[in-house]
Each structure stands twice: as structure tokens, then as C-alpha cells.
Amino acid sequence: MAQINFGGVDETVVTREEFPLEKALDVLKNETIAVIGYGVQGPGQALNMRDNGFNVIVGQREDSPSWERALKDGWVEGETLFSIEEAAERGTIICNLLSDAGQIALWPTLKAKLTPGKTLYFSHGFGITFNDQTNIIPPADVDVILVAPKGSGTSLRRLFVAGGGLNSSFAVYQDATGKAYEKVVAMGIGVGSGYLFETDFKKEVYSDLTGERGVLMGALAGIIEAQYQVLRQRGHSPSEAFNETVEELTQSLVPLVGENGMDWMFSNCSVTAQRGALDWKGRFREATLPVLNELYDSVASGKEAERTIQRGSTPNYRSELETELKEVRDSELWQTGATVRQLRSKAAEKVEELS
């Protein structure tokens, strides 16, 4: 394991150089990895492990859209594609990649397949951390591990195909065999991680729920809506409001910040933009700190988990969700965005024609 300094703090990181794929394959050479669920994370992780040479099977409900997707991805019924029950029976490492609601519903089925010495694998700490609400309490004689890629399964797969790797968190919750640590690192390498950062189940889920409700999605969506609304109310056109709020953010600034950091961005913009950003960032930080602290407290108390479980388990949740998403999709802001993306696509096509 490597010791890397992050902003003055030393952290333990596992790299592919010190734990190469060949070592991961050797650690898991006698394991049958059963990927349960073929929705968000399942396809990317399963395909990456298959391409890396691991013994992988998929468990999914038959005659479902995800079953058909698995068939199209080359999984063979009766050979590498099975019902959830049969895959869990065959697997020695059971990867529970169902949705949080699905994990709760299927837990009795999976628990019955967890014979002594098997490994239960997660990519999210939700079910274990909030087990007072999920009732997901593993038997004491199995290993319980976690590898959480820091991105969608689609991103994990795309980076893998391109020869790269997505950073992942990893954790051991229960080590019944004495081999849980080497298993979780091997799994992290197998699914296509670039670097592996050690954490625990609770920290993973607390940071994840805070992040997706905060900067990554909730706060981002909220502040975009607020700025767009201000510009429109002050007389700016939809296209101008969108371009100054979203288009420049996503197509120019965020990629550059990701490559070079915010300090570089401040150093490479006009003095007007530079001065304004530096003068106002503190105001936004102080304004949002109370909200983010309230959010974290809500996550840590279990309130966010409770709301997720309650809302996700209602019979009409899907239709209610579609209504909420339609409201976002049909708003002037995101209808404008759809038009801007079309123009961007047409411009790219013209460039390709000329090249």
C-alpha cells in the first residue's frame, strides 16, 4: 500500500502497480463471483471483471428488461446468466448490486444462500449501515466487503474500455475468513478501479448521501435553477441565461477544473471574472454551510435513509417519480438545454464532415 499526501494529510492508497491484475486473479482464482442485479452498477462491474479474466456469473430476474440487457451483453442463460436464487447459490462471492429497495426486498433470499466462508460484497454502505431499518444483518461466518466506484457503472465501463480506471473506496465490515482484505482489494482491481481508497461502510454511505444530495446533484440543480431564474426575471433571454448558467459550466469550466484545479481556473480567466469569483465565493460558502451541516445531520441520524426506504417502497413511487422528473424536463430551463445540446451536436457533425 502506498502512502500519499492529500493536502497535508497522509492516506493509505492501493494502486494497480503494487496490486496488479495478475495478483488479483490469483487471489480470486477459486472464486465464483455472482453479480446480483444488472441495473446501475451491475453491467459495468460484471463486464469489466469478465474482460479481466475472472469467473463471473450474473443473477437477474428472468424476462425483465435487465435480463434482456444481460443477454445482449453476451451472458449466456444456463452458463453465465441465472435467476437470482441460482446465481446466489452458485456464487462464492455474492455481489449485492441491487437498488437499496431491492436489497431490502431480496435480503431473505440472499441470506439463505450465505453459507459459511462465502463473501457478501456491496458497492454502497446503505444496507449495512442502516440495518436497523433495512434488517440486512449478515451471518457472522461470512466476509462482508465493499468496493464503491466513485461514479456510475456507465463511467466505470467507459473508462475501463478506454484503458483507464475510476477511483473507488473500499472497506471491510466483517472478516470471518481472515482473507477479507485481500479479497476486497482484488475485487477493486477486478472491477476496474484506478486507485483504491480505504474507508468504512458508515463513512462511505454518509459521504455518498451527503454528496449526491449536495454538490453532486441536489445543490447543483438548485443553484442552477436559482441563477437561471434571476437572469430570466432581470430580462435575459432563455438562451443567454442557460449559456451563462449551464453551458459554460459543463462544457468549459468543470472539465478544466477537473484537469487543473480551481486555482488554475482563477489564474486563467479575466481579471473581472477572477476578482468577482474570489470576492463572492466566501459569501456562497457561508450561505451554504448551514444547509450542508443540516444535510449531514439528516444523513447521520438515519432520516434520509428512512425517507428513501419509505418513498421507494410505495406502490406508486415510479409514477410519482416520473411526474417529478417530467416537471424538471418540461421546465423552460431544461427545454432550453435540450435545444442548446442539439445545436452543439449539429456543430460537432459539421466539424466531422470538414475533417
Side-chain angles (χ1 to χ4, degrees):
M1 296 181 291
Q3 288 290 314
I4 299 179
N5 187 280
F6 294 93
V9 178
D10 288 331
E11 295 187 37
T12 300
V13 181
V14 178
T15 70
R16 290 190 284 192
E17 286 71 27
E18 62 181 310
F19 204 107
L21 177 60
E22 293 74 18
K23 184 175 180 179
L25 286 166
D26 184 63
V27 168
L28 302 179
K29 62 185 177 184
N30 297 320
E31 306 284 356
T32 298
I33 303 169
V35 174
I36 307 300
Y38 209 72
V40 178
Q41 280 289 333
Q45 294 197 31
L47 291 170
N48 289 358
M49 286 191 288
R50 185 179 69 182
D51 289 353
N52 271 333
F54 294 88
N55 180 23
V56 185
I57 61 175
V58 171
Q60 181 57 46
R61 294 185 185 87
E62 298 180 54
D63 300 322
S64 66
S66 294
W67 177 276
E68 296 302 318
R69 180 182 179 183
L71 289 172
K72 290 180 181 179
D73 284 345
W75 303 99
V76 180
E77 183 176 356
E79 295 182 14
T80 56
L81 177 61
F82 304 92
S83 67
I84 289 175
E85 293 79 5
E86 186 170 356
E89 179 74 32
R90 290 170 175 262
T92 58
I93 298 178
I94 299 177
C95 300
N96 193 345
L97 299 183
L98 297 162
S99 66
D100 292 327
Q103 289 185 20
I104 295 170
L106 266 293
W107 175 240
T109 298
L110 293 188
K111 185 178 180 180
K113 307 298 182 182
L114 287 170
T115 52
K118 283 194 176 186
T119 301
L120 179 60
Y121 168 104
F122 294 92
S123 284
H124 190 28
F126 189 97
I128 292 290
T129 299
F130 301 112
N131 58 24
D132 58 329
Q133 299 183 57
T134 66
N135 293 316
I136 297 177
I137 303 174
D141 51 12
V142 301
D143 292 338
V144 183
I145 60 177
L146 173 146
V147 175
K150 298 297 100 179
S152 69
T154 300
S155 298
L156 182 72
R157 181 61 177 166
R158 286 177 178 172
L159 279 170
F160 177 85
V161 171
L166 195 65
N167 290 342
S168 298
S169 298
F170 75 98
V172 173
Y173 177 77
Q174 187 167 282
D175 185 4
T177 67
K179 299 179 180 178
Y181 187 87
E182 64 177 10
K183 285 181 189 177
V184 72
V185 173
M187 286 292 295
I189 298 299
V191 301
S193 303
Y195 293 90
L196 288 162
F197 299 85
E198 191 168 7
T199 187
D200 60 46
F201 275 60
K202 182 180 290 187
K203 288 178 180 176
E204 188 282 328
V205 74
Y206 283 11
S207 60
D208 186 75
L209 293 185
T210 299
E212 64 196 14
R213 284 155 174 76
V215 171
L216 301 180
M217 295 179 70
L220 179 63
I223 200 168
I224 283 173
E225 290 175 4
Q227 181 168 302
Y228 182 87
Q229 181 178 328
V230 166
L231 291 175
R232 290 289 289 124
Q233 289 175 342
R234 301 302 179 102
H236 297 268
S237 68
S239 62
E240 186 169 61
F242 184 87
N243 284 333
E244 292 297 337
T245 301
V246 180
E247 191 71 357
E248 189 170 355
L249 170 74
T250 60
Q251 301 306 304
S252 176
L253 300 187
V254 167
L256 289 174
V257 170
E259 291 174 12
N260 305 300
M262 186 61 77
D263 58 322
W264 183 93
M265 180 58 67
F266 285 155
S267 298
N268 287 272
C269 62
S270 69
V271 173
T272 303
Q274 181 185 84
R275 193 65 263 146
L278 288 169
D279 289 347
W280 277 87
K281 75 178 182 68
R283 292 278 301 275
F284 281 104
R285 183 185 65 242
E286 296 308 312
T288 56
L289 266 173
V291 179
L292 288 168
N293 272 305
E294 181 182 351
L295 167 57
Y296 192 92
D297 289 341
S298 184
V299 170
S301 70
K303 289 181 181 178
E304 293 300 307
E306 181 181 10
R307 177 170 170 75
T308 298
I309 292 169
Q310 288 179 347
R311 293 285 285 114
S313 60
T314 54
N316 56 345
Y317 176 69
R318 288 294 175 185
S319 61
E320 292 175 356
L321 173 64
E322 180 52 35
T323 299
E324 290 181 274
L325 296 179
K326 186 176 186 299
E327 183 179 346
V328 175
R329 184 168 58 246
D330 291 348
S331 68
E332 182 190 274
L333 165 60
W334 293 111
Q335 285 294 305
T336 300
T339 303
V340 170
R341 288 193 298 275
Q342 289 175 358
L343 295 175
R344 193 197 310 149
S345 178
K346 290 179 180 179
E349 290 174 1
K350 288 183 180 179
V351 170
E352 288 182 5
E353 291 173 1
L354 294 173
S355 61

